[in-house]
Amino acid sequence: MPIIPTSADAMTTLRRRTSEKWGVYADDVLPMFVAEMDFPLAPAIQRALHEAIDLGDTGYVNPLDPGAREAFRDYAAAAWGWEPDVERMGTTTDVSVVIVESLRRLIEPGDGVVITPPIYPPFYDLIPEAGGVVVEVPLRDDGSSYALDLDGIDRALAAGAQGVLLCSPHNPVGLVHDRATLEELSRIVATNDGFVVADEIHAPLTHHGVAFTPYLAVSDEARAHGIAAQSGSKAFNLAGLKTALFVSASDRMTDLIRSLPEEVAFRTGQFGLIATREGFAHGREWLAGTVAAVQANVDHLQAELEAHLPAVRLRRPSASYLAWLDMSALGWGDDPAVIAEQRARVALSNGPAFGRQGGGYARMNLACSPETITEAVRRLAAASLPTDHQAS
């Protein structure tokens, strides 16, 4: 059965939204920064949420979680050949809470936790929130591709860092770690008696033709020392509904989940549980179309840059809808997103927020229409011209 790409909502509809993406900037700015989609919700999710409203199903969240964990298990089995145990899962508000609450039980105050920049900016805050200290081991970058610096991680753990906060797939570069890399990481972590907290929120958005491997599926060592943060919030655009999953595969990590205060689970969003269940159970066709649309948008962005802004280099992703752009050749300084917003009225994510390795870079959200990408590139191209050319 052919995959039909998902289409973005009309700009007139999008401008009526009040979420961060559409509420922060003036209407003359193209918002392409925060990770929200311009696509309509999956029909199954729309129907379920409308039914909940009609029923007045807006009370306290059900701690028994009627269906979301089972739906994720079935999705993971179908998509990745991995069937996590529902009894080893827990729910909460979002992936950041999974990370913080896990780290609080895995480290002592002042312990080091490895991150691999350029990296999702909140990682720099979540580790201190849990009482830890950030230890940077940047990705290896040969100019054309990124990879984990496994030797660097080994050295950091041997020097005293207690564990790794893994981004898989990796935001912002769209890197999908292969099984061999994750197996070696699990060996290194086990040798150093460490742990891994794996943020796998972008996993359902792995591009067609690319294999995603869940960390807990790679080895007995990974299952023993790993805990995964899973959510439908990126895949189905549900961030405002507040639901994520703790996923474990060992008695140690299951005990960690069960040791959490009841309020961690009770803060889960009622609508988030409903939407997560429906997305993973009945939104898979929509998700496949969304990934197809994103991949087409990556190709479209590449073509637009080559034709109109060749100084900007796209570091092509293998997952998610986020494009990592090397804009250093424009001469817009360490944080080109500032100039892009001021001169081109295009809002991008600030590269340096992802770590010093993001200097000269910006991140662009491609979960939109091809026309939005065209407009953004044309605006950026015009803004890159000398001042006298812009005036004419």
Side-chain angles (χ1 to χ4, degrees):
M1 185 175 180
I3 296 173
I4 302 174
T6 306
S7 297
D9 279 329
M11 188 63 69
T12 52
T13 299
L14 295 169
R15 292 288 182 192
R16 294 169 57 196
R17 294 184 181 181
T18 61
S19 60
E20 181 181 3
K21 183 174 184 181
W22 296 97
V24 171
Y25 291 100
D27 283 352
D28 67 328
V29 174
L30 279 182
M32 304 181 76
F33 64 115
V34 71
E36 295 181 25
M37 293 185 184
D38 292 356
F39 304 126
L41 287 176
I45 294 174
Q46 290 188 46
R47 287 192 296 269
L49 292 177
H50 280 295
E51 181 180 8
I53 292 290
D54 292 341
L55 291 173
D57 192 6
T58 56
Y60 290 107
V61 68
N62 184 344
L64 299 178
D65 170 26
R69 291 177 295 176
E70 288 83 355
F72 173 73
R73 175 202 61 200
D74 295 345
Y75 170 82
W80 308 321
W82 171 55
E83 190 169 334
D85 186 346
V86 168
E87 298 304 316
R88 293 186 181 275
M89 299 183 197
T91 68
T92 190
T93 53
D94 55 37
V95 160
S96 292
V97 173
V98 175
I99 292 169
V100 170
E101 295 297 339
S102 297
L103 289 178
R104 280 179 175 153
R105 286 153 183 81
L106 290 167
I107 64 174
E108 298 294 332
D111 282 348
V113 178
V114 172
I115 62 171
T116 54
I119 197 77
Y120 180 53
F123 277 21
Y124 285 99
D125 300 319
L126 299 177
I127 292 170
E129 183 180 345
V133 175
V134 170
V135 177
E136 295 190 34
V137 180
L139 293 176
R140 293 186 181 275
D141 179 9
D142 64 7
S144 61
S145 63
Y146 290 98
L148 289 177
D149 181 356
L150 294 171
D151 291 338
I153 292 172
D154 193 4
R155 289 192 297 270
L157 293 172
Q162 295 299 301
V164 179
L165 177 50
L166 178 69
C167 196
S168 179
H170 192 100
N171 175 10
V173 304
L175 169 65
V176 178
H177 310 295
D178 61 38
R179 177 178 285 273
T181 296
L182 294 175
E183 287 176 346
E184 180 62 11
L185 175 64
S186 73
R187 185 197 66 78
I188 289 168
V189 172
T191 298
N192 288 281
D193 194 26
F195 64 83
V196 170
V197 176
D199 174 357
E200 298 182 347
I201 194 170
H202 292 277
L205 292 164
T206 299
H207 293 178
H208 299 308
V210 180
F212 169 76
T213 303
Y215 186 72
L216 298 182
V218 300
S219 67
D220 289 339
E221 292 89 348
R223 286 182 279 277
H225 65 232
I227 192 163
Q230 300 282 356
S231 178
S233 68
K234 291 296 182 287
F236 299 105
N237 204 36
L238 306 176
L241 300 185
K242 292 300 179 186
T243 292
L245 300 173
F246 295 84
V247 183
S248 64
S250 67
D251 290 345
R252 175 194 177 195
M253 292 304 181
T254 302
D255 288 345
L256 180 154
I257 294 171
R258 291 173 179 167
S259 74
L260 297 167
E262 286 185 352
E263 285 303 315
V264 173
F266 275 112
R267 291 172 186 143
T268 307
Q270 167 73 339
F271 282 179
L273 276 180
I274 292 169
T276 298
R277 179 194 70 212
E278 292 302 309
F280 283 125
H282 304 297
R284 299 182 197 177
E285 185 176 333
W286 178 93
L287 179 59
T290 295
V291 173
V294 169
Q295 289 186 248
N297 279 349
V298 173
D299 292 338
H300 182 62
L301 173 61
Q302 182 72 68
E304 285 291 308
L305 291 174
E306 290 174 356
H308 302 285
L309 195 55
V312 173
R313 183 166 64 111
L314 168 65
R315 305 294 297 266
R316 290 186 68 95
S318 295
S320 200
Y321 50 80
L322 304 170
W324 191 231
L325 301 176
D326 181 355
M327 305 178 75
S328 55
L330 293 178
W332 287 2
D334 194 50
D335 194 356
V338 173
I339 304 300
E341 191 271 323
Q342 291 174 348
R343 296 185 189 173
R345 308 302 283 161
V346 176
L348 305 173
S349 294
N350 305 84
F354 296 84
R356 61 180 178 80
Q357 297 77 14
Y361 281 79
R363 194 189 73 179
M364 177 182 282
N365 182 335
L366 301 183
C368 59
S369 69
E371 292 78 15
T372 297
I373 294 169
T374 298
E375 176 67 15
V377 173
R378 304 297 171 87
R379 289 189 186 194
L380 292 167
S384 70
L385 296 173
T387 306
D388 55 340
H389 285 252
Q390 294 180 44
S392 61

